[in-house]
Amino acid sequence: MSGLFHVGGKVVESVDLLRKRHGLWRFDAWPFGLIYAAWLVAILPNLDSLDAAIVLGGLAALHMLVFLFTVWSVNFRCFVQYSKVTDIHHADACKITPAKFCGSKEVVPLHSRKLAGSSLAEEEIYFDFRKQRFIYSKEKETFSKLPYPSKEPIGYYLKTTGHGSEAKVTAATEKWGRNAFDYPQPTFQKLMKEHCMEPFFVFQVFCVGLWCLDEYWYYSLFTLFMLFMFESTMAKSRLKTLTELRRVRVDSQTLMVHRCGKWVKLSGTDLLPGDVVSIGRSTGENGEDKSVPADMLILAGSAIVNEAILTGESTPQWKVSVMGMGPEEKLSIRRDKNHVLFGGTKILQHTPDKTFHMKTPDGGCLAVILRTGFETSQGKLMRTILFSTERVTANSWESGLFIMFLVVFAVIAAGYVLKKGLEDPTRSKYKLFLSCSLIITSVIPPELPMELSIAVNTSLIALARRGIFCTEPFRIPFAGKVDICCFDKTGTLTSDDMEFSGVVGLADSMDLETDMSKVPARTVEILASCHALVFVDNKLVGDPLEKAALKGIEWSYKSDEKAVPKKGSGNAVQIVQRHHFASHLKRMAVVVRVQEQFIAFVKGAPETIQERLIDLPPSYVNTYKKYTRQGSRVLALAFKFLPEMTVSEARGLDRDVVESGLIFAGFAVFNCPIRGDSATVLSELKGSSHDLVMITGDQALTACHVASQVHIISKPALILGQAKNGGGYEWVSPDETEIITYSEKEVEALSEAHDLCVGGDCIEMLQQTSAVLKVIPYVKVFARVAPEQKELIMTTFKTVGRITLMCGDGTNDVGALKQAHVGVALLNAMPPAQSEKKLDASTKKETTLSLKSKKPKSTVSGKSIENGEGPSKNKSVSKLQSTSNAASNRRLTPAEMQREKLKKLMDELNEEGDGRSAPIVKLGDASMASPFTAKHASVAPTTDIIRQGRSTLVTTLQMFKILGLNCLATAYVLSVMYLDGVKLGDVQATISGIFTAAFFLFISHARPLSGLSAERPHPNVFCSYVFLSLLGQFAIHLYFLISSVKEAEKYMPDECIEPDSNFHPNLVNTVSYIVGMMIQVATFAVNYMGHPFNQSITENKPFLYALWAAVGFFTVITSDMFRDLNDWLKLWPMPIPLRNKLMVWALLMFSGCYLWERLLRWAFPGRVPAWKRRQHVAVASQEKKRV
């Protein structure tokens, strides 16, 4: 039995067993004991006291470093403090390796406990990792997640009566714990300590110590002050986030719970998985709805729930009992989500079921608890937010490698100094040791981690201001690399407002009938009653499509589940039982009663209903295809008469009985308008070298029509389907004029001249024939796709090396949004209401809001949903305030309420963004679905996210280049010139530091341009462009530096410079300082990446002013205008010929670097990743595995 277990879950990859070593046997204890003893015996007597002290200092630093490494590196800590074991009973801790993108390794304690209630006194071994418990299973010989009763057969839930005895309750409490979100509140001191132990921070403090030893007091203190300020703001912002999250609690409402055979009152925090509870709408003291305390399955009754806190979907969802499902079917929370009440959501209304064998005492719905605490959907979202608020960094392994590359240069320079220094016996060893340490440390710029996180945070804040929230900041740089954008159709590219066009397919005519008086009564009755609309607080809510149908046929629906015609004569239709729409069935049904006769009404996708009809009209297929080709949404309507029976028998009818042997009643045709800005946004994405793909649950012909209108399809389309003669598959054009036999080998060639479309049934065929990798990467439109298939499509794109963006709504695209590199969930709860100017924090005072001229059309659960697309009038906040004061004295109209809300939002945003800390993501803003959540009813946020991503990518790239050049120059100045006795003054170093810090700050605040360019940014730091640019510029800088110092030496030949003496001004020092500063400024100006991604230097005003200030500062100190200033800076007066030469050379140096950089940008543009090569490799390796 090995000590390594592969778990292979979504959270944990593998687990290593460890045992703690005792105090003295640790590797950071006994070896150092021996070393210190050796120092006492061998070194102290033989060296003079100063040298011995230096050696001791070195040993102490090494010991300190070993200790710190145990904090930084989990692997190192395991090596030093733990020993590996193979037997799980000997282990007392384990090292967890999390799955990819789930954070870093951790060591957690291993616990064991005796199980209560088991006769053999069994022992359970487990560990807790990130609020999830993993239990050791002897059979599987590995750890697995603590199981919850959420995947049992339906029959098991229907029979359950809750925990039957006290012993069972105790065992369950021990197993699953309390239903609460418990995590300790960290203190500022604890967070600050964590931040101060960070490798960069320790390294910087060490550097500051070295500078102090070299008598640079001002410079050291300035750096130290900056560091502490930065770390404390970071710690403070994390504290704020964590405090915010702690406010999310499980509601402590009291519920009736069935335990030990009787109903008892219990608090929501005491619920256990397996408990049977009575749940309904309940309000707190201040009239606010209480939320559901855990994830539960409805056994009897139904409820209307607002799930906005989890999915952001503001339309209330209808939840029904599982009684209609087969007892052998296993529950899948994802598939059967319309039977599950999720923790954190609010019940708006409930209807108990009096016929079920178990009655609830308080008239609530009967439900069984599936998951509690951090395992609920809300808990999962909390975990995502909690464990991804870790330090924000962009490309961390790249920054590590880049620093290693610079260290090589530094070591060469330090080696040179050491060699030369040791040749001269008179030099102080202490000073030599100090200068070598300084050279090596100078390479790692103290600002690096600050700069990288500022770049990402700036993007987070800019996105938050536009109503886009991000729970996983490390994904922002990915957004800059995206090369394929996938979109859902319904509700994303098209608007949610459906228009009912009419009915077609009756009496063998293919013409649309818009006059409802000419349509058979049965067809109208189906439209009036086969839906899931419901009354909440006297308002009709539900699917916009069903509301449109009711409006179109001019019927009304009453709260007693009766549909009646508004005018004319018609029979009232009473709904008896509903079988709700399920995405895997693609249909819904109701049992109704019309004049004492029971009838089943069914509506669904035309191809699904087709198989269930008794006789098929001859023009059935042609009719629905005609309208789907025009981009309409077509639903088939059907009915069947049921025999006489009682109401309870009608309710108990099996779903399959209701939905078979149907009579056709026509097609309902709906028009689905495309959102105003979809086409423009998608053409901008296409123009900026992104591939576009549509993934939808809608019909293939409808999908192709919409895709052609929004620029996803530009070539002739081909749809994959089963061949007419029944054998195999074929590609067919939408008008069925072109037919090509399907062969997986020819897909790549076909995609050159055609845009391909594949349906969900064909995806199953591709999976069976293992052709997924050969076909999916070339397809443009995926139609009739189930949620699991959306996930498969995303993983396939990732396998072939594409960087994916998926944009959809938060409800049925969850899997795909999670799988994509950049998932954007659109919540249509709020209009995009910030104008461009608002993005500039400096214009806070004259903030303008774009207000909609349209009034909100529909109001659902207190949120108004905006349908207006673009901003109309800009009004200033001051005007808003006056309106709001006047309005507070009377009832507010919806438009004014909207305005008030926006004003509040603006104030909040102005308080929150301080530029350094990432904005806090609140639970209502994040969707469970995806890392990015946009509160917009349009696809425009995708371009915002990509712009910010590109901007962050470009900013980090230019920072690496600038830091690289500065470090190479510093290494040279400190080594070669140090040997010649060239030094910097303390004030000089401080001013140079202030300039660098200011430049970096202003660079990272560069804003992205409003349009996306066709040119792409370089995705990696390691590419020929960066290396050539660095080497070329460094060569020019070096030449300038050497020639200037040589020139200066001509004017002071007789003076001998002492290498180790204290700093005193002379001409060479002055020239080398001024030249060093000129190089620094030139580096920033030349490497700043402006267009086509960010503002150019002239548009980034703070940076422009800082550059001019620096240029002005040199001109002043070089021309010696203010002698007092130069004396304070300890600069030597320069001869006029030297001064003029320096100015001309500086200009030449700048021009040379600038031209070299421009030439390289032209020669090496950013390219679209070569994914086809990756795809061929992936296919080849898959075929190898099959062989």
Side-chain angles (χ1 to χ4, degrees), residues 475-487 685 688-692 801-806 820-824 932 942 945-947 949-950 953 1012 1015-1017 1019 1167-1169:
R475 293 189 186 265
I476 286 188
F478 273 121
K481 305 179 189 180
V482 164
D483 61 327
I484 183 164
C485 304
C486 310
F487 293 92
L685 285 172
S688 52
S689 56
H690 293 97
D691 286 341
L692 303 178
R802 316 250 7 203
I803 306 282
T804 53
L805 175 142
M806 170 77 197
H821 291 103
V822 179
V824 188
F932 291 92
T942 50
I945 290 169
I946 289 178
R947 286 209 328 260
R950 285 183 169 190
L953 203 61
L1012 283 171
E1015 202 177 312
R1016 299 177 64 86
R1167 288 198 174 82
V1168 179

Side-chain angles (χ1 to χ4, degrees), residues 1071-1122:
V1071 168
S1072 67
Y1073 173 64
I1074 290 177
V1075 167
M1077 284 284 284
M1078 285 174 172
I1079 287 176
Q1080 197 177 333
V1081 174
T1083 304
F1084 277 98
V1086 167
N1087 291 291
Y1088 177 80
M1089 296 273 233
H1091 289 203
F1093 308 112
N1094 284 346
Q1095 297 169 319
S1096 62
I1097 293 187
T1098 45
E1099 291 162 334
N1100 185 355
K1101 292 287 185 279
F1103 183 54
L1104 181 70
Y1105 299 149
L1107 276 180
W1108 280 122
V1111 171
F1113 176 70
F1114 299 143
T1115 316
V1116 168
I1117 58 173
T1118 314
S1119 59
D1120 212 356
M1121 278 185 212
F1122 307 111

Side-chain angles (χ1 to χ4, degrees), residues 532-591:
L533 297 175
V534 63
F535 277 88
V536 175
D537 300 337
N538 296 324
K539 282 200 290 284
L540 190 66
V541 296
D543 187 343
L545 177 118
E546 296 174 336
K547 280 193 193 138
L550 256 189
K551 192 173 144 199
I553 58 173
E554 295 186 339
W555 277 50
S556 63
Y557 177 65
K558 300 280 185 282
S559 53
D560 58 358
E561 303 210 328
K562 208 178 239 170
V564 290
K566 282 185 184 167
K567 52 184 184 209
S569 61
N571 299 317
V573 180
Q574 175 70 53
I575 297 175
V576 179
Q577 172 71 350
R578 283 182 162 111
H579 293 285
H580 283 265
F581 174 80
S583 57
H584 61 289
L585 298 175
K586 299 195 181 79
R587 60 179 184 271
M588 79 162 285
V590 289
V591 176

Side-chain angles (χ1 to χ4, degrees), residues 312 462-469 491-492 496 675 677 807-809 824-835 852 865-866 868-869 905 925 933-942 944-945:
L463 288 173
R465 291 220 176 98
R466 311 207 80 172
I468 302 166
F469 300 92
T492 303
D496 274 336
R675 288 192 198 277
D677 58 353
C807 176
D809 54 23
V824 188
L826 299 182
L827 314 182
N828 39 13
M830 214 160 77
Q834 272 90 335
S835 62
K852 301 287 183 271
I865 295 180
E866 267 292 351
E869 291 295 343
L905 179 86
D925 299 335
T933 307
K935 299 206 152 183
H936 295 252
S938 97
V939 286
T942 50
D944 288 335
I945 290 169

Side-chain angles (χ1 to χ4, degrees), residues 16-48:
D16 288 282
L17 298 180
L18 304 169
R19 186 183 177 84
K20 211 170 174 64
R21 298 177 197 270
H22 289 297
L24 287 173
W25 293 110
R26 288 171 25 163
F27 286 152
D28 55 356
W30 66 264
F32 282 97
L34 296 177
I35 292 173
Y36 290 131
W39 177 81
L40 263 174
V41 175
I43 292 176
L44 192 58
N46 301 336
L47 289 179
D48 62 73

Side-chain angles (χ1 to χ4, degrees), residues 224-285:
L224 202 58
F225 171 72
M226 278 216 349
L227 285 177
F228 270 104
M229 283 301 295
F230 178 70
E231 293 299 340
S232 58
T233 48
M234 289 288 285
K236 210 162 176 141
S237 83
R238 271 184 68 193
L239 190 66
K240 204 168 156 193
T241 313
L242 294 169
T243 318
E244 188 73 33
L245 276 173
R246 275 188 68 97
R247 289 194 196 146
V248 181
R249 289 243 154 78
V250 170
D251 257 353
S252 54
Q253 57 180 23
T254 43
L255 295 173
M256 296 300 286
V257 182
H258 194 262
R259 276 194 186 167
C260 309
K262 57 182 188 293
W263 287 97
V264 289
K265 275 191 174 172
L266 280 181
S267 151
T269 50
D270 296 330
L271 294 177
L272 295 166
D275 266 332
V276 170
V277 298
S278 162
I279 182 100
R281 180 177 187 174
S282 62
T283 46
E285 288 108 45

Side-chain angles (χ1 to χ4, degrees), residues 136 474 580:
Y136 179 66
F474 69 82
H580 283 265

Side-chain angles (χ1 to χ4, degrees), residues 529-755:
S529 60
C530 190
H531 54 64
L533 297 175
V534 63
F535 277 88
V536 175
D537 300 337
N538 296 324
K539 282 200 290 284
L540 190 66
V541 296
D543 187 343
L545 177 118
E546 296 174 336
K547 280 193 193 138
L550 256 189
K551 192 173 144 199
I553 58 173
E554 295 186 339
W555 277 50
S556 63
Y557 177 65
K558 300 280 185 282
S559 53
D560 58 358
E561 303 210 328
K562 208 178 239 170
V564 290
K566 282 185 184 167
K567 52 184 184 209
S569 61
N571 299 317
V573 180
Q574 175 70 53
I575 297 175
V576 179
Q577 172 71 350
R578 283 182 162 111
H579 293 285
H580 283 265
F581 174 80
S583 57
H584 61 289
L585 298 175
K586 299 195 181 79
R587 60 179 184 271
M588 79 162 285
V590 289
V591 176
V592 299
R593 191 162 164 193
V594 184
Q595 293 174 313
E596 301 308 308
Q597 160 82 48
F598 285 109
I599 313 177
F601 287 164
V602 183
K603 71 171 185 195
E607 58 269 39
T608 322
I609 302 293
Q610 187 175 346
E611 303 154 4
R612 298 180 167 266
L613 296 175
I614 300 171
D615 56 13
L616 195 66
S619 60
Y620 183 94
V621 176
N622 292 342
T623 308
Y624 84 76
K625 282 194 172 168
K626 173 183 169 182
Y627 288 92
T628 48
R629 268 185 211 120
Q630 296 166 11
S632 298
R633 180 121 183 240
V634 179
L635 292 177
L637 311 175
F639 67 96
K640 88 185 233 187
F641 294 105
L642 298 171
E644 275 188 33
M645 55 177 88
T646 62
V647 173
S648 59
E649 282 173 345
R651 287 214 167 112
L653 279 177
D654 198 34
R655 184 164 187 165
D656 265 353
V657 175
V658 175
E659 296 176 346
S660 59
L662 304 170
I663 302 162
F664 179 59
F667 294 111
V669 180
F670 295 87
N671 213 359
C672 192
I674 293 173
R675 288 192 198 277
D677 58 353
S678 293
T680 43
V681 170
L682 266 69
S683 81
E684 185 180 0
L685 285 172
K686 197 167 192 170
S688 52
S689 56
H690 293 97
D691 286 341
L692 303 178
V693 165
M694 180 193 283
I695 305 178
T696 176
D698 219 332
Q699 222 270 344
L701 292 164
T702 313
C704 286
H705 176 78
V706 175
S708 65
Q709 286 184 304
V710 293
H711 311 289
I712 291 177
I713 287 183
S714 48
K715 296 181 272 199
L718 288 178
I719 301 168
L720 184 61
Q722 282 192 317
K724 289 271 164 57
N725 53 20
Y729 285 78
E730 59 190 16
W731 297 101
V732 183
S733 61
D735 55 6
E736 302 191 3
T737 50
E738 190 176 358
I739 297 178
I740 298 168
T741 313
Y742 160 78
S743 148
E744 57 185 56
K745 294 188 178 65
E746 288 161 22
V747 173
E748 187 175 344
L750 256 187
S751 67
E752 302 289 327
H754 296 84
D755 283 327

